[in-house]
Amino acid sequence: MAVNEIDAALLKTMFLAGAQNLESKKEWINELNVFPVPDGDTGTNMTLTIMSAAREVQAIEQPDMQNLAKAISSGSLRGARGNSGVILSQLFRGLTKEIKTVDVITTQVLARAFQRATETAYKAVMKPKEGTILTVAKGMADKAAELAEETEDMESFLRAIIEHGDLVLSQTPQMLPVLKQAGVVDSGGQGLMEVMKGALDGYLGKEISLDAEAPSAPRQAAAPQTEALDIKFGYCTEFIINLEKTFDKGRELDFKGFLESIGDSIVLVADDDLVKVHVHTNDPGLAIQRALEYGSLSRIKIDNMREEHQEKLIKDAEKMAQEQKTAQEAEAKAASAAKKEEPRREVGFIAVSIGEGLKEIFRGLNVDYLIEGGQTMNPSTEDMLNAIDQVNADTIYIFPNNKNIILAAEQAMHLTEDKKIVVIPSKTIPQGITGIINFVPGHSAEENKAAMTEEMAKVKTGQVTYAVRDTSLDGFDIREGDIMGIGDHGILSAGGDIETVSLQLLKNMLDEDSELVSIYYGSDVDQEAAEAFFTKAQELSSDVDMELHFGGQPIYYYIISVE
């Protein structure tokens, strides 16, 4: 029977249960992201964040409130990835500041902890936006404050808070038009609710696996694979028809002919009372509907073969990513040891980038350390701290080059004491390049940040990639596999052809003030195709200077900047 106070041992169980529940739902949460792009998604980022803390919590053999609070706070802060992960870590940071001062948690203590968690998270975001994880957290904190005055029953308290959190989450599409347009609730808010629901299960003593293993490396998605597309019919469909009508040879041939019209790999074995059916098809419903004409169905089994195939590709990619990370860490340690022997410099630079061509461009701009990552793999706060440790300079400028990485960089800035860290809020690779170019030696950090930010605001960025799911957004009906041209504020073009979509994207980005266009082609575009596109791009405007560079970035066929 549940008790009305939460001691350290129970809190450990609840936290690990919340982490495991989030991990089990991460792919579903990823699907809630508004833009259907193959990037580092909310569910993955939040899971990597909480699992960083869960491993530290799991290692505590004799938990008390102080060592649990430290493990939860420091583990999540250092492991935070993406905006949603950073906000989650700040919620934990605020909550643990309250609970570390008590021996047991009552409804009153938990209400205060929820309030402090929300206040801490809101302060961490420069421009808090309602309709997000912050709104859901605030709704639960407000409900907790109200209920704490009425009850000491912890179970009913937690259930009521979660019920209210779900209600607030359901209202997020009314607060953010982009959510309403996409027909989804906020993914970060959903992730937070899964943590809460898992924690409640832990409180109630439900059987849960509490092993906090290190999650796989963030998936670096790749362009659609030819091998995957060779699966013509995606669903392996099996069932048994319990015959209620005569199933003679004529009906057997008729049914088999129908199955051949909607799929392949057909096996049809008829007996006196039943028929065993196996078919690969893109519409299992048609096979089932036709079969119901002959009798009732049992043992229905439908497997998504494309998904199974893709999972294998993902596992292979994850293994490769982990091997790459291990090699990079060894290389970084060696480089760090060498750099610490050098005299300390006044200024250093760190940039986030992926793709050999883009990394060479940043190296040419005297960037000291490149963090592997970007849209497909958001670096953690700890990745930032490791990079800072390896740059031997008094003042270090960090260029996140992605809006979903800025908060992690700022969190690393606040955790660094022996160096001055300046986070330049570059949201794209082209903005980062422009920012570095506008650095002026001898100017103060404040002067340089202001000048860089002003120049970056003049840069328009367009990116060309493919859709990973169907959606309707920004006036476009997108289908899985379609090519999309995405600008700074939404989708600007879409269709089935990379070159056509890219040209339309560039055309929509150009205006009478445009002076320079830089085009970076990715790893999935060969040089000949890139040069053909560049030639057609030049025909769009004779008054604009254009440059073509090899970027080598995955996922994004082209990154285009207009200044």
Side-chain angles (χ1 to χ4, degrees), residues 17-18 21 162 166 190 192-202:
N21 194 51
I162 290 172
D166 280 337
Q190 185 70 66
L192 179 60
M193 293 312 304
E194 296 311 319
V195 174
M196 289 292 298
K197 291 171 183 177
L200 175 60
D201 286 344

Side-chain angles (χ1 to χ4, degrees), residues 12-13 19 30 174 187 235 306 354 369 404 430 432 458 467 481:
K12 176 181 176 179
T13 298
N30 284 342
Q174 308 307 317
S187 54
Y235 296 95
R306 291 191 182 99
I354 192 167
Y369 189 86
N404 208 34
K458 300 174 184 177

Side-chain angles (χ1 to χ4, degrees), residues 47 109 165 485 540 544:
T47 296
V109 171
L540 292 177
V544 179

Side-chain angles (χ1 to χ4, degrees), residues 228-510:
L229 295 178
D230 287 340
I231 300 175
K232 184 177 180 182
F233 298 104
Y235 296 95
C236 176
T237 305
E238 298 179 69
F239 52 83
I240 290 175
I241 307 175
N242 302 298
L243 292 172
E244 296 170 0
K245 293 182 179 179
T246 303
F247 195 76
D248 55 22
K249 198 65 179 177
R251 283 187 170 175
E252 180 180 339
L253 291 173
D254 180 58
F255 184 47
K256 191 170 183 180
F258 173 75
L259 294 177
E260 288 172 344
S261 73
I262 63 168
D264 63 11
S265 299
I266 295 160
V267 177
L268 193 152
V269 180
D271 202 349
D272 292 340
D273 301 317
L274 55 83
V275 179
K276 170 73 174 177
V277 179
H278 172 282
V279 61
H280 291 177
T281 178
N282 285 328
D283 195 337
L286 291 176
I288 290 170
Q289 186 176 2
R290 186 63 172 264
L292 285 168
E293 295 179 8
Y294 306 112
S296 62
L297 306 186
S298 62
R299 299 188 185 180
I300 300 173
K301 184 172 178 284
I302 301 172
D303 293 320
N304 186 331
M305 295 187 295
R306 291 191 182 99
E307 190 175 85
E308 290 172 355
H309 178 79
Q310 194 66 21
E311 283 176 3
K312 181 182 181 303
L313 295 177
I314 289 167
K315 285 178 182 177
D316 291 344
E318 286 176 344
K319 182 180 177 183
M320 187 181 299
Q322 188 59 46
E323 290 171 352
Q324 276 184 332
K325 184 178 180 182
T326 302
Q328 287 167 1
E329 286 174 350
E331 184 181 341
K333 285 180 181 178
S336 177
K339 283 183 178 293
K340 286 180 179 177
E341 295 299 318
E342 301 173 0
R344 189 150 166 142
R345 292 176 288 114
E346 287 187 13
V347 176
F349 300 94
I350 295 171
V352 179
S353 181
I354 192 167
E356 285 307 312
L358 291 174
K359 288 194 285 188
E360 279 303 312
I361 290 171
F362 280 114
R363 290 189 188 104
L365 294 171
N366 297 318
V367 170
D368 297 278
Y369 189 86
L370 287 163
I371 300 174
E372 185 86 4
Q375 196 79 342
T376 58
M377 184 172 59
N378 296 157
S380 67
T381 296
E382 187 164 23
D383 291 332
M384 298 284 178
L385 291 170
N386 290 337
I388 289 168
D389 186 55
Q390 291 166 31
V391 177
N392 194 14
D394 294 322
T395 300
I396 301 174
Y397 294 83
I398 300 181
F399 297 83
N401 299 334
N402 186 296
K403 66 181 181 181
N404 208 34
I405 302 174
I406 294 173
L407 279 182
E410 291 176 342
Q411 190 149 279
M413 174 183 70
H414 293 306
L415 293 172
T416 301
E417 297 177 353
D418 62 333
K419 299 172 183 177
K420 182 179 179 64
I421 307 301
V422 184
V423 177
I424 306 300
S426 52
K427 296 179 180 178
T428 64
I429 290 287
Q431 281 192 353
I433 292 171
T434 295
I436 295 173
I437 289 173
N438 282 277
F439 171 78
V440 180
H443 282 195
S444 70
E446 292 72 22
E447 288 171 331
N448 268 311
K449 182 173 182 177
M452 291 176 183
T453 304
E454 181 180 351
E455 291 303 313
M456 290 191 310
K458 300 174 184 177
V459 178
K460 298 178 187 176
T461 302
Q463 301 178 92
V464 182
T465 187
Y466 60 92
V468 295
R469 59 182 175 273
D470 296 353
T471 189
S472 293
L473 198 62
D474 297 328
F476 294 93
D477 290 325
I478 307 293
R479 296 288 171 263
E480 181 180 344
D482 281 357
I483 307 301
M484 302 178 296
I486 305 171
D488 290 318
H489 304 293
I491 299 173
L492 298 179
S493 60
D497 177 69
I498 296 171
E499 184 178 275
T500 302
V501 171
S502 302
L503 285 170
Q504 187 60 50
L505 170 65
L506 176 55
K507 186 176 180 180
N508 290 338
M509 292 171 66
L510 290 169

Side-chain angles (χ1 to χ4, degrees), residues 1-16:
M1 184 173 178
V3 294
N4 289 334
E5 293 179 342
I6 299 171
D7 62 14
L10 182 52
L11 178 62
K12 176 181 176 179
T13 298
M14 291 173 67
F15 184 80
L16 293 176

